[in-house]
Structure formats: C-alpha cells, structure tokens
Short mmCIF file of all heavy atoms in Angstrom, two decimals:
data_model
loop_
_atom_site.label_atom_id
_atom_site.label_comp_id
_atom_site.label_asym_id
_atom_site.label_seq_id
_atom_site.Cartn_x
_atom_site.Cartn_y
_atom_site.Cartn_z
N MET A 1 43.92 6.60 -12.29
CA MET A 1 42.73 6.67 -11.45
C MET A 1 43.09 7.23 -10.09
O MET A 1 44.11 6.87 -9.53
CB MET A 1 42.16 5.26 -11.25
CG MET A 1 41.45 4.67 -12.42
SD MET A 1 40.87 3.02 -11.99
CE MET A 1 39.14 3.27 -12.11
N ASP A 2 42.25 8.08 -9.61
CA ASP A 2 42.45 8.63 -8.27
C ASP A 2 41.51 7.94 -7.29
O ASP A 2 40.29 7.98 -7.44
CB ASP A 2 42.14 10.13 -8.26
CG ASP A 2 43.38 10.95 -8.51
OD1 ASP A 2 44.49 10.40 -8.37
OD2 ASP A 2 43.24 12.14 -8.83
N LEU A 3 42.11 7.31 -6.31
CA LEU A 3 41.34 6.65 -5.26
C LEU A 3 42.19 6.71 -4.00
O LEU A 3 43.40 6.52 -4.06
CB LEU A 3 41.07 5.19 -5.64
CG LEU A 3 39.96 4.46 -4.92
CD1 LEU A 3 38.60 5.09 -5.19
CD2 LEU A 3 39.91 3.00 -5.36
N PRO A 4 41.58 7.00 -2.87
CA PRO A 4 42.38 7.04 -1.65
C PRO A 4 43.10 5.70 -1.40
O PRO A 4 42.60 4.64 -1.77
CB PRO A 4 41.34 7.30 -0.55
CG PRO A 4 40.20 7.94 -1.24
CD PRO A 4 40.18 7.35 -2.62
N LEU A 5 44.26 5.79 -0.79
CA LEU A 5 45.07 4.60 -0.53
C LEU A 5 44.28 3.54 0.23
O LEU A 5 44.37 2.35 -0.09
CB LEU A 5 46.32 4.99 0.27
CG LEU A 5 47.23 3.82 0.68
CD1 LEU A 5 47.79 3.13 -0.55
CD2 LEU A 5 48.33 4.32 1.59
N ALA A 6 43.48 3.95 1.19
CA ALA A 6 42.70 2.98 1.98
C ALA A 6 41.78 2.16 1.09
O ALA A 6 41.64 0.94 1.27
CB ALA A 6 41.91 3.71 3.06
N TRP A 7 41.13 2.79 0.11
CA TRP A 7 40.23 2.06 -0.78
C TRP A 7 41.00 1.13 -1.70
O TRP A 7 40.54 0.03 -2.01
CB TRP A 7 39.37 3.02 -1.58
CG TRP A 7 38.27 3.58 -0.77
CD1 TRP A 7 38.15 4.86 -0.32
CD2 TRP A 7 37.13 2.88 -0.27
NE1 TRP A 7 37.01 5.00 0.43
CE2 TRP A 7 36.36 3.80 0.48
CE3 TRP A 7 36.69 1.56 -0.37
CZ2 TRP A 7 35.18 3.43 1.10
CZ3 TRP A 7 35.51 1.20 0.27
CH2 TRP A 7 34.78 2.13 0.99
N SER A 8 42.17 1.55 -2.15
CA SER A 8 43.01 0.67 -2.97
C SER A 8 43.39 -0.58 -2.18
O SER A 8 43.37 -1.70 -2.71
CB SER A 8 44.28 1.40 -3.42
OG SER A 8 43.96 2.50 -4.23
N LEU A 9 43.72 -0.38 -0.92
CA LEU A 9 44.08 -1.52 -0.07
C LEU A 9 42.87 -2.44 0.18
O LEU A 9 43.03 -3.66 0.21
CB LEU A 9 44.67 -1.03 1.24
CG LEU A 9 46.02 -0.32 1.11
CD1 LEU A 9 46.47 0.21 2.47
CD2 LEU A 9 47.07 -1.21 0.49
N VAL A 10 41.69 -1.85 0.32
CA VAL A 10 40.48 -2.67 0.48
C VAL A 10 40.27 -3.54 -0.75
O VAL A 10 39.95 -4.73 -0.63
CB VAL A 10 39.24 -1.78 0.74
CG1 VAL A 10 37.95 -2.56 0.59
CG2 VAL A 10 39.32 -1.15 2.12
N LEU A 11 40.47 -2.98 -1.92
CA LEU A 11 40.34 -3.76 -3.15
C LEU A 11 41.34 -4.90 -3.20
O LEU A 11 41.00 -6.04 -3.55
CB LEU A 11 40.50 -2.86 -4.37
CG LEU A 11 39.40 -1.83 -4.61
CD1 LEU A 11 39.80 -0.88 -5.73
CD2 LEU A 11 38.08 -2.51 -4.91
N LEU A 12 42.58 -4.63 -2.84
CA LEU A 12 43.61 -5.66 -2.86
C LEU A 12 43.35 -6.75 -1.82
O LEU A 12 43.49 -7.94 -2.11
CB LEU A 12 44.99 -5.04 -2.64
CG LEU A 12 45.51 -4.21 -3.80
CD1 LEU A 12 46.79 -3.49 -3.40
CD2 LEU A 12 45.73 -5.07 -5.02
N VAL A 13 42.95 -6.36 -0.64
CA VAL A 13 42.65 -7.34 0.41
C VAL A 13 41.46 -8.20 0.00
O VAL A 13 41.45 -9.42 0.22
CB VAL A 13 42.39 -6.63 1.76
CG1 VAL A 13 41.81 -7.58 2.79
CG2 VAL A 13 43.69 -6.02 2.28
N THR A 14 40.48 -7.60 -0.63
CA THR A 14 39.31 -8.35 -1.11
C THR A 14 39.73 -9.39 -2.15
O THR A 14 39.28 -10.54 -2.11
CB THR A 14 38.27 -7.40 -1.71
OG1 THR A 14 37.86 -6.47 -0.70
CG2 THR A 14 37.07 -8.15 -2.23
N ALA A 15 40.58 -9.00 -3.07
CA ALA A 15 41.06 -9.93 -4.09
C ALA A 15 41.83 -11.08 -3.45
O ALA A 15 41.61 -12.26 -3.78
CB ALA A 15 41.93 -9.20 -5.11
N ILE A 16 42.72 -10.76 -2.53
CA ILE A 16 43.51 -11.80 -1.86
C ILE A 16 42.60 -12.74 -1.08
O ILE A 16 42.75 -13.96 -1.12
CB ILE A 16 44.58 -11.15 -0.96
CG1 ILE A 16 45.63 -10.45 -1.82
CG2 ILE A 16 45.22 -12.19 -0.05
CD1 ILE A 16 46.54 -9.51 -1.05
N TRP A 17 41.65 -12.16 -0.36
CA TRP A 17 40.70 -12.95 0.43
C TRP A 17 39.99 -13.99 -0.46
O TRP A 17 39.86 -15.15 -0.10
CB TRP A 17 39.68 -12.03 1.09
CG TRP A 17 38.58 -12.76 1.78
CD1 TRP A 17 37.32 -12.95 1.32
CD2 TRP A 17 38.63 -13.39 3.05
NE1 TRP A 17 36.59 -13.67 2.22
CE2 TRP A 17 37.37 -13.96 3.30
CE3 TRP A 17 39.64 -13.54 4.01
CZ2 TRP A 17 37.08 -14.66 4.46
CZ3 TRP A 17 39.34 -14.24 5.17
CH2 TRP A 17 38.08 -14.79 5.38
N ASN A 18 39.53 -13.55 -1.62
CA ASN A 18 38.83 -14.46 -2.52
C ASN A 18 39.73 -15.59 -3.00
O ASN A 18 39.28 -16.73 -3.13
CB ASN A 18 38.26 -13.69 -3.72
CG ASN A 18 36.94 -13.05 -3.38
OD1 ASN A 18 35.93 -13.74 -3.26
ND2 ASN A 18 36.94 -11.75 -3.21
N PHE A 19 41.00 -15.30 -3.25
CA PHE A 19 41.92 -16.35 -3.70
C PHE A 19 42.33 -17.27 -2.57
O PHE A 19 42.75 -18.40 -2.80
CB PHE A 19 43.15 -15.74 -4.39
CG PHE A 19 42.90 -15.46 -5.84
CD1 PHE A 19 42.66 -14.17 -6.27
CD2 PHE A 19 42.87 -16.48 -6.77
CE1 PHE A 19 42.39 -13.89 -7.59
CE2 PHE A 19 42.61 -16.23 -8.10
CZ PHE A 19 42.37 -14.93 -8.52
N VAL A 20 42.19 -16.83 -1.34
CA VAL A 20 42.48 -17.69 -0.19
C VAL A 20 41.29 -18.61 0.11
O VAL A 20 41.46 -19.77 0.45
CB VAL A 20 42.84 -16.84 1.05
CG1 VAL A 20 42.86 -17.66 2.31
CG2 VAL A 20 44.18 -16.14 0.84
N ILE A 21 40.09 -18.09 -0.03
CA ILE A 21 38.88 -18.81 0.38
C ILE A 21 38.36 -19.79 -0.67
O ILE A 21 38.04 -20.94 -0.36
CB ILE A 21 37.75 -17.79 0.73
CG1 ILE A 21 38.16 -16.99 1.95
CG2 ILE A 21 36.43 -18.50 0.94
CD1 ILE A 21 38.43 -17.81 3.18
N TRP A 22 38.23 -19.38 -1.92
CA TRP A 22 37.52 -20.18 -2.91
C TRP A 22 38.22 -21.45 -3.37
O TRP A 22 37.56 -22.48 -3.52
CB TRP A 22 37.10 -19.32 -4.09
CG TRP A 22 36.03 -18.36 -3.71
CD1 TRP A 22 36.11 -17.00 -3.71
CD2 TRP A 22 34.71 -18.65 -3.25
NE1 TRP A 22 34.94 -16.44 -3.27
CE2 TRP A 22 34.06 -17.44 -2.97
CE3 TRP A 22 34.02 -19.84 -3.01
CZ2 TRP A 22 32.75 -17.37 -2.51
CZ3 TRP A 22 32.73 -19.77 -2.54
CH2 TRP A 22 32.10 -18.56 -2.30
N PRO A 23 39.51 -21.46 -3.65
CA PRO A 23 40.13 -22.72 -4.10
C PRO A 23 39.99 -23.88 -3.08
O PRO A 23 39.64 -25.00 -3.49
CB PRO A 23 41.59 -22.35 -4.36
CG PRO A 23 41.50 -20.90 -4.76
CD PRO A 23 40.44 -20.33 -3.85
N PRO A 24 40.22 -23.66 -1.78
CA PRO A 24 39.99 -24.76 -0.84
C PRO A 24 38.52 -25.20 -0.79
O PRO A 24 38.22 -26.38 -0.62
CB PRO A 24 40.42 -24.20 0.52
CG PRO A 24 41.31 -23.06 0.20
CD PRO A 24 40.83 -22.51 -1.11
N PHE A 25 37.62 -24.24 -0.95
CA PHE A 25 36.20 -24.59 -0.97
C PHE A 25 35.90 -25.50 -2.16
O PHE A 25 35.15 -26.47 -2.04
CB PHE A 25 35.34 -23.33 -1.01
CG PHE A 25 33.87 -23.61 -1.01
CD1 PHE A 25 33.24 -24.09 0.13
CD2 PHE A 25 33.10 -23.38 -2.14
CE1 PHE A 25 31.88 -24.36 0.14
CE2 PHE A 25 31.74 -23.64 -2.15
CZ PHE A 25 31.13 -24.13 -1.01
N LEU A 26 36.48 -25.20 -3.31
CA LEU A 26 36.27 -26.03 -4.49
C LEU A 26 36.79 -27.45 -4.24
O LEU A 26 36.15 -28.43 -4.65
CB LEU A 26 36.95 -25.42 -5.72
CG LEU A 26 36.79 -26.21 -7.03
CD1 LEU A 26 35.31 -26.38 -7.38
CD2 LEU A 26 37.54 -25.52 -8.15
N LYS A 27 37.91 -27.58 -3.57
CA LYS A 27 38.43 -28.91 -3.24
C LYS A 27 37.43 -29.68 -2.38
O LYS A 27 37.21 -30.88 -2.59
CB LYS A 27 39.77 -28.81 -2.50
CG LYS A 27 40.91 -28.38 -3.38
CD LYS A 27 42.20 -28.30 -2.59
CE LYS A 27 43.32 -27.79 -3.45
NZ LYS A 27 44.57 -27.65 -2.70
N ARG A 28 36.82 -29.00 -1.42
CA ARG A 28 35.83 -29.66 -0.56
C ARG A 28 34.58 -30.03 -1.35
O ARG A 28 34.01 -31.10 -1.15
CB ARG A 28 35.47 -28.76 0.62
CG ARG A 28 36.59 -28.67 1.64
CD ARG A 28 36.11 -28.07 2.97
NE ARG A 28 35.42 -26.79 2.84
CZ ARG A 28 36.03 -25.61 2.82
NH1 ARG A 28 37.34 -25.53 2.92
NH2 ARG A 28 35.32 -24.50 2.72
N VAL A 29 34.16 -29.17 -2.26
CA VAL A 29 32.99 -29.45 -3.08
C VAL A 29 33.26 -30.67 -3.95
O VAL A 29 32.40 -31.55 -4.09
CB VAL A 29 32.60 -28.23 -3.94
CG1 VAL A 29 31.59 -28.60 -5.01
CG2 VAL A 29 32.05 -27.12 -3.06
N ARG A 30 34.44 -30.76 -4.54
CA ARG A 30 34.77 -31.91 -5.40
C ARG A 30 34.77 -33.22 -4.63
O ARG A 30 34.45 -34.26 -5.20
CB ARG A 30 36.14 -31.69 -6.05
CG ARG A 30 36.10 -30.69 -7.16
CD ARG A 30 37.45 -30.58 -7.82
NE ARG A 30 37.40 -29.69 -8.96
CZ ARG A 30 38.44 -29.26 -9.60
NH1 ARG A 30 39.66 -29.63 -9.20
NH2 ARG A 30 38.31 -28.46 -10.62
N LYS A 31 35.13 -33.18 -3.36
CA LYS A 31 35.14 -34.39 -2.54
C LYS A 31 33.76 -34.76 -2.01
O LYS A 31 33.56 -35.87 -1.54
CB LYS A 31 36.11 -34.22 -1.37
CG LYS A 31 37.55 -34.17 -1.79
CD LYS A 31 38.45 -33.99 -0.58
CE LYS A 31 39.89 -33.85 -1.00
NZ LYS A 31 40.76 -33.60 0.16
N ASP A 32 32.84 -33.82 -2.07
CA ASP A 32 31.49 -34.04 -1.54
C ASP A 32 30.80 -35.15 -2.33
O ASP A 32 30.92 -35.23 -3.55
CB ASP A 32 30.69 -32.74 -1.63
CG ASP A 32 29.41 -32.79 -0.85
OD1 ASP A 32 28.54 -33.62 -1.18
OD2 ASP A 32 29.27 -31.98 0.09
N GLU A 33 30.07 -35.99 -1.63
CA GLU A 33 29.38 -37.12 -2.28
C GLU A 33 28.31 -36.65 -3.27
O GLU A 33 27.94 -37.40 -4.18
CB GLU A 33 28.76 -38.02 -1.23
CG GLU A 33 27.71 -37.34 -0.38
CD GLU A 33 27.22 -38.19 0.77
OE1 GLU A 33 27.98 -39.05 1.25
OE2 GLU A 33 26.07 -37.98 1.17
N ARG A 34 27.82 -35.43 -3.13
CA ARG A 34 26.81 -34.91 -4.05
C ARG A 34 27.41 -34.43 -5.38
O ARG A 34 26.67 -34.11 -6.31
CB ARG A 34 26.07 -33.75 -3.39
CG ARG A 34 25.29 -34.16 -2.15
CD ARG A 34 24.77 -32.97 -1.41
NE ARG A 34 25.89 -32.27 -0.77
CZ ARG A 34 25.79 -31.18 -0.05
NH1 ARG A 34 24.60 -30.61 0.13
NH2 ARG A 34 26.85 -30.62 0.51
N SER A 35 28.72 -34.39 -5.48
CA SER A 35 29.38 -33.87 -6.68
C SER A 35 29.38 -34.84 -7.85
O SER A 35 29.56 -34.42 -8.99
CB SER A 35 30.82 -33.47 -6.36
OG SER A 35 30.83 -32.38 -5.48
N HIS A 36 29.24 -36.12 -7.57
CA HIS A 36 29.25 -37.13 -8.63
C HIS A 36 28.13 -38.12 -8.40
O HIS A 36 27.82 -38.46 -7.26
CB HIS A 36 30.60 -37.84 -8.67
CG HIS A 36 31.74 -36.93 -8.97
ND1 HIS A 36 32.44 -36.26 -7.98
CD2 HIS A 36 32.27 -36.53 -10.14
CE1 HIS A 36 33.37 -35.51 -8.56
NE2 HIS A 36 33.28 -35.65 -9.87
N ASP A 37 27.56 -38.59 -9.50
CA ASP A 37 26.50 -39.58 -9.37
C ASP A 37 27.12 -40.97 -9.19
O ASP A 37 28.34 -41.10 -9.10
CB ASP A 37 25.54 -39.53 -10.55
CG ASP A 37 26.20 -39.84 -11.89
OD1 ASP A 37 27.33 -40.39 -11.91
OD2 ASP A 37 25.59 -39.54 -12.94
N ALA A 38 26.29 -41.98 -9.16
CA ALA A 38 26.76 -43.35 -8.92
C ALA A 38 27.74 -43.80 -9.99
O ALA A 38 28.64 -44.61 -9.73
CB ALA A 38 25.57 -44.30 -8.86
N GLY A 39 27.60 -43.28 -11.19
CA GLY A 39 28.50 -43.64 -12.29
C GLY A 39 29.78 -42.82 -12.33
O GLY A 39 30.65 -43.03 -13.17
N GLY A 40 29.90 -41.83 -11.44
CA GLY A 40 31.09 -40.99 -11.40
C GLY A 40 31.00 -39.72 -12.22
O GLY A 40 31.95 -38.95 -12.28
N ALA A 41 29.86 -39.51 -12.86
CA ALA A 41 29.69 -38.31 -13.69
C ALA A 41 29.41 -37.09 -12.79
O ALA A 41 28.79 -37.22 -11.75
CB ALA A 41 28.54 -38.49 -14.67
N PRO A 42 29.89 -35.92 -13.22
CA PRO A 42 29.63 -34.70 -12.42
C PRO A 42 28.13 -34.41 -12.36
O PRO A 42 27.41 -34.59 -13.33
CB PRO A 42 30.36 -33.60 -13.18
CG PRO A 42 31.15 -34.25 -14.24
CD PRO A 42 30.70 -35.65 -14.39
N THR A 43 27.70 -33.92 -11.22
CA THR A 43 26.30 -33.56 -11.02
C THR A 43 26.11 -32.06 -11.18
O THR A 43 27.08 -31.30 -11.28
CB THR A 43 25.82 -33.98 -9.62
OG1 THR A 43 26.60 -33.27 -8.66
CG2 THR A 43 25.96 -35.48 -9.42
N THR A 44 24.86 -31.65 -11.15
CA THR A 44 24.54 -30.22 -11.21
C THR A 44 25.15 -29.50 -10.01
O THR A 44 25.60 -28.36 -10.13
CB THR A 44 23.02 -30.02 -11.25
OG1 THR A 44 22.51 -30.73 -12.39
CG2 THR A 44 22.65 -28.56 -11.34
N PHE A 45 25.17 -30.14 -8.87
CA PHE A 45 25.77 -29.57 -7.66
C PHE A 45 27.21 -29.14 -7.93
O PHE A 45 27.60 -28.01 -7.61
CB PHE A 45 25.74 -30.63 -6.54
CG PHE A 45 26.43 -30.22 -5.28
CD1 PHE A 45 25.77 -29.45 -4.33
CD2 PHE A 45 27.72 -30.63 -5.00
CE1 PHE A 45 26.40 -29.08 -3.15
CE2 PHE A 45 28.36 -30.27 -3.84
CZ PHE A 45 27.69 -29.49 -2.91
N LEU A 46 27.99 -30.00 -8.54
CA LEU A 46 29.39 -29.68 -8.84
C LEU A 46 29.48 -28.59 -9.89
O LEU A 46 30.26 -27.64 -9.75
CB LEU A 46 30.15 -30.93 -9.30
CG LEU A 46 31.61 -30.71 -9.69
CD1 LEU A 46 32.41 -30.17 -8.52
CD2 LEU A 46 32.21 -32.00 -10.21
N ARG A 47 28.69 -28.70 -10.94
CA ARG A 47 28.75 -27.71 -12.02
C ARG A 47 28.39 -26.31 -11.52
O ARG A 47 29.08 -25.33 -11.83
CB ARG A 47 27.85 -28.12 -13.18
CG ARG A 47 28.44 -29.24 -14.03
CD ARG A 47 27.66 -29.44 -15.31
NE ARG A 47 26.35 -30.05 -15.07
CZ ARG A 47 26.13 -31.35 -15.00
NH1 ARG A 47 27.12 -32.20 -15.13
NH2 ARG A 47 24.90 -31.80 -14.80
N VAL A 48 27.32 -26.21 -10.75
CA VAL A 48 26.88 -24.90 -10.25
C VAL A 48 27.94 -24.29 -9.34
O VAL A 48 28.29 -23.10 -9.47
CB VAL A 48 25.53 -25.03 -9.51
CG1 VAL A 48 25.22 -23.78 -8.71
CG2 VAL A 48 24.42 -25.33 -10.49
N HIS A 49 28.47 -25.08 -8.42
CA HIS A 49 29.49 -24.54 -7.52
C HIS A 49 30.77 -24.16 -8.26
O HIS A 49 31.40 -23.16 -7.94
CB HIS A 49 29.78 -25.54 -6.39
CG HIS A 49 28.75 -25.51 -5.32
ND1 HIS A 49 27.58 -26.22 -5.41
CD2 HIS A 49 28.69 -24.83 -4.15
CE1 HIS A 49 26.85 -25.99 -4.34
NE2 HIS A 49 27.51 -25.13 -3.56
N THR A 50 31.14 -24.94 -9.25
CA THR A 50 32.33 -24.61 -10.05
C THR A 50 32.13 -23.29 -10.78
O THR A 50 33.03 -22.44 -10.82
CB THR A 50 32.64 -25.74 -11.03
OG1 THR A 50 32.86 -26.96 -10.29
CG2 THR A 50 33.87 -25.43 -11.86
N ILE A 51 30.95 -23.09 -11.34
CA ILE A 51 30.66 -21.83 -12.05
C ILE A 51 30.68 -20.65 -11.08
O ILE A 51 31.27 -19.60 -11.37
CB ILE A 51 29.32 -21.93 -12.80
CG1 ILE A 51 29.44 -22.89 -13.97
CG2 ILE A 51 28.84 -20.56 -13.26
CD1 ILE A 51 28.11 -23.30 -14.59
N LEU A 52 30.05 -20.81 -9.93
CA LEU A 52 30.03 -19.73 -8.94
C LEU A 52 31.44 -19.36 -8.47
O LEU A 52 31.77 -18.18 -8.33
CB LEU A 52 29.16 -20.11 -7.75
CG LEU A 52 27.66 -20.20 -8.01
CD1 LEU A 52 26.95 -20.77 -6.79
CD2 LEU A 52 27.09 -18.85 -8.40
N ILE A 53 32.26 -20.37 -8.25
CA ILE A 53 33.63 -20.13 -7.80
C ILE A 53 34.43 -19.46 -8.92
O ILE A 53 35.21 -18.53 -8.66
CB ILE A 53 34.28 -21.44 -7.32
CG1 ILE A 53 33.58 -21.89 -6.03
CG2 ILE A 53 35.78 -21.26 -7.11
CD1 ILE A 53 33.91 -23.30 -5.60
N ALA A 54 34.24 -19.90 -10.15
CA ALA A 54 34.94 -19.29 -11.28
C ALA A 54 34.57 -17.81 -11.42
O ALA A 54 35.44 -16.96 -11.65
CB ALA A 54 34.63 -20.04 -12.57
N ILE A 55 33.30 -17.50 -11.26
CA ILE A 55 32.86 -16.10 -11.33
C ILE A 55 33.48 -15.29 -10.19
O ILE A 55 33.97 -14.17 -10.40
CB ILE A 55 31.32 -16.01 -11.30
CG1 ILE A 55 30.74 -16.56 -12.59
CG2 ILE A 55 30.86 -14.58 -11.06
CD1 ILE A 55 29.24 -16.78 -12.57
N SER A 56 33.51 -15.86 -9.00
CA SER A 56 34.10 -15.17 -7.85
C SER A 56 35.58 -14.91 -8.07
O SER A 56 36.08 -13.83 -7.73
CB SER A 56 33.90 -15.99 -6.57
OG SER A 56 32.54 -16.04 -6.25
N LEU A 57 36.28 -15.86 -8.64
CA LEU A 57 37.71 -15.67 -8.90
C LEU A 57 37.94 -14.66 -10.02
O LEU A 57 38.90 -13.87 -9.96
CB LEU A 57 38.39 -17.00 -9.20
CG LEU A 57 38.47 -17.95 -8.00
CD1 LEU A 57 39.05 -19.30 -8.43
CD2 LEU A 57 39.27 -17.35 -6.86
N ALA A 58 37.07 -14.65 -11.02
CA ALA A 58 37.19 -13.65 -12.09
C ALA A 58 36.96 -12.25 -11.52
O ALA A 58 37.68 -11.30 -11.86
CB ALA A 58 36.19 -13.95 -13.20
N LEU A 59 35.98 -12.12 -10.65
CA LEU A 59 35.75 -10.83 -10.00
C LEU A 59 36.93 -10.44 -9.12
O LEU A 59 37.31 -9.27 -9.05
CB LEU A 59 34.47 -10.87 -9.17
CG LEU A 59 33.16 -10.92 -9.97
CD1 LEU A 59 31.98 -11.19 -9.05
CD2 LEU A 59 32.97 -9.64 -10.75
N ALA A 60 37.53 -11.42 -8.45
CA ALA A 60 38.71 -11.15 -7.62
C ALA A 60 39.86 -10.61 -8.46
O ALA A 60 40.57 -9.69 -8.05
CB ALA A 60 39.13 -12.41 -6.88
N ILE A 61 40.04 -11.18 -9.64
CA ILE A 61 41.09 -10.69 -10.54
C ILE A 61 40.80 -9.24 -10.92
O ILE A 61 41.70 -8.38 -10.88
CB ILE A 61 41.21 -11.58 -11.79
CG1 ILE A 61 41.79 -12.94 -11.40
CG2 ILE A 61 42.06 -10.91 -12.86
CD1 ILE A 61 41.72 -13.98 -12.50
N SER A 62 39.55 -8.96 -11.28
CA SER A 62 39.17 -7.59 -11.66
C SER A 62 39.40 -6.60 -10.52
O SER A 62 39.96 -5.52 -10.71
CB SER A 62 37.71 -7.54 -12.07
OG SER A 62 37.47 -8.40 -13.16
N VAL A 63 38.96 -6.99 -9.33
CA VAL A 63 39.12 -6.12 -8.16
C VAL A 63 40.61 -5.93 -7.84
O VAL A 63 41.05 -4.84 -7.50
CB VAL A 63 38.34 -6.71 -6.96
CG1 VAL A 63 38.72 -6.03 -5.67
CG2 VAL A 63 36.86 -6.60 -7.20
N GLY A 64 41.38 -7.00 -7.96
CA GLY A 64 42.82 -6.90 -7.70
C GLY A 64 43.52 -5.99 -8.68
O GLY A 64 44.37 -5.17 -8.29
N VAL A 65 43.16 -6.11 -9.95
CA VAL A 65 43.74 -5.22 -10.98
C VAL A 65 43.37 -3.77 -10.68
O VAL A 65 44.22 -2.87 -10.77
CB VAL A 65 43.29 -5.66 -12.39
CG1 VAL A 65 43.64 -4.59 -13.42
CG2 VAL A 65 43.91 -6.99 -12.76
N LEU A 66 42.11 -3.53 -10.34
CA LEU A 66 41.71 -2.16 -9.99
C LEU A 66 42.49 -1.65 -8.78
O LEU A 66 42.90 -0.49 -8.75
CB LEU A 66 40.22 -2.11 -9.70
CG LEU A 66 39.28 -2.13 -10.90
CD1 LEU A 66 37.84 -2.25 -10.45
CD2 LEU A 66 39.49 -0.91 -11.75
N GLY A 67 42.68 -2.51 -7.79
CA GLY A 67 43.45 -2.12 -6.62
C GLY A 67 44.87 -1.73 -6.97
O GLY A 67 45.41 -0.74 -6.48
N ILE A 68 45.48 -2.50 -7.86
CA ILE A 68 46.86 -2.21 -8.27
C ILE A 68 46.90 -0.92 -9.09
O ILE A 68 47.77 -0.05 -8.87
CB ILE A 68 47.44 -3.38 -9.08
CG1 ILE A 68 47.65 -4.58 -8.15
CG2 ILE A 68 48.74 -2.99 -9.77
CD1 ILE A 68 47.98 -5.87 -8.85
N LEU A 69 45.97 -0.77 -10.01
CA LEU A 69 45.95 0.43 -10.85
C LEU A 69 45.72 1.70 -10.04
O LEU A 69 46.24 2.77 -10.38
CB LEU A 69 44.88 0.32 -11.94
CG LEU A 69 45.14 -0.71 -13.04
CD1 LEU A 69 43.95 -0.80 -13.98
CD2 LEU A 69 46.41 -0.36 -13.79
N THR A 70 44.94 1.60 -8.99
CA THR A 70 44.65 2.80 -8.20
C THR A 70 45.77 3.13 -7.22
O THR A 70 45.76 4.21 -6.62
CB THR A 70 43.31 2.65 -7.43
OG1 THR A 70 43.37 1.49 -6.61
CG2 THR A 70 42.16 2.54 -8.40
N LEU A 71 46.71 2.22 -7.04
CA LEU A 71 47.87 2.52 -6.19
C LEU A 71 48.84 3.46 -6.88
O LEU A 71 49.55 4.21 -6.24
CB LEU A 71 48.61 1.23 -5.81
CG LEU A 71 47.98 0.38 -4.71
CD1 LEU A 71 48.78 -0.90 -4.54
CD2 LEU A 71 47.89 1.13 -3.42
N ALA A 72 48.87 3.39 -8.20
CA ALA A 72 49.85 4.17 -8.96
C ALA A 72 49.53 5.64 -8.99
O ALA A 72 48.51 6.14 -8.79
CB ALA A 72 49.95 3.64 -10.39
#
C-alpha cells in the first residue's frame, strides 16, 4: 500500500491512543456503582460500555495494522 509516511504515523498514533485510553476507562466503568445491581449482576450500563470499548479496541487493532502495513 502506498500512503505518505505522515498518514501511516497518524494511523499508528491513533491505535496507540486507543489502547492507552480505553482500558483504564473500562476499569473505571467496572468500579462504577451503576455497573452492578444490588445482587451483583452486571447491568446494561456495564454491558453497553464493555461492547463499545471492545469495538473501539478492535478498530484500534485494524488501524494499527493498516499503519504498520503502510510503513513498508
């Protein structure tokens, strides 16, 4: 793939940024009182945020792979 070096670096920085931001956010969401009901079962709040974070990390992997492939 032909892509200018600057764009390849933008892709890589974006992927790294996502891996720096989302895992700590998930830790905070899990500790949030809205994440579990009175019985300790996961709530919709936790499930939705977990899915959104998983999608963001999957996209980060894709963007990171594209960034690496375009460097070559």
